[in-house]
Amino acid sequence: RSCCRFHTLEHDWGMFALNTIHIVFLDASHDFETVLQDIDNCLKIPSVSLIIFDDYGAEKGVSDAVRVFVANGRLKPVSFMGEGGDGKPWKLRDGREVAEREAIACEVVRSQ
């Protein structure tokens, strides 16, 4: 069903400016540079107030990019989510074991 898929690098994020979007669930590329770009694009949507980052605990590129925006005061972590909530490691489909939580929700910090 290609009609409903959005590729973060190949499609125009401007299409979202026509809508009011409050929450973004970001489950896309895991490399650091692409995640930085995805976060920046999310922040350009004025109505976005919360971004949920899937694979935060499993992919270094995701967690490192989120930490950059947290350190710069653009995101504020509010909750960990998903696998790992019981404190036990969990496994990815590829067999890797992950000790960190699966996802993180971050509030968007807007300058006044």
Side-chain angles (χ1 to χ4, degrees):
R1 297 177 40 153
S2 61
C3 70
C4 304
R5 292 193 174 265
F6 179 81
H7 191 282
T8 63
L9 293 177
E10 296 175 4
H11 294 110
D12 180 11
W13 284 76
M15 66 186 271
F16 295 117
L18 303 173
N19 299 289
T20 301
I21 300 170
H22 298 285
I23 299 172
V24 173
F25 182 84
L26 195 57
D27 184 11
S29 179
H30 299 134
D31 69 276
F32 177 74
E33 292 298 327
T34 303
V35 179
L36 286 177
Q37 186 176 352
D38 289 346
I39 296 170
D40 191 52
N41 283 322
C42 288
L43 295 176
K44 289 177 184 173
I45 304 169
S47 58
V48 171
S49 59
L50 187 76
I51 305 172
I52 300 169
F53 298 93
D54 190 44
D55 299 320
Y56 175 84
E59 300 292 342
K60 185 170 172 30
V62 176
S63 58
D64 286 352
V66 170
R67 287 184 185 114
V68 167
F69 280 84
V70 169
N72 290 334
R74 304 286 313 278
L75 293 174
K76 177 184 172 187
V78 293
S79 180
F80 288 102
M81 307 168 79
E83 298 287 346
D86 58 3
K88 297 177 184 173
W90 54 282
K91 287 194 176 189
L92 294 169
R93 281 183 238 157
D94 65 9
R96 288 184 290 154
E97 192 170 272
V98 180
E100 305 296 325
R101 292 295 301 270
E102 180 181 9
I104 189 170
C106 292
E107 180 182 332
V108 172
V109 179
R110 304 273 183 202
S111 56
Q112 301 287 332

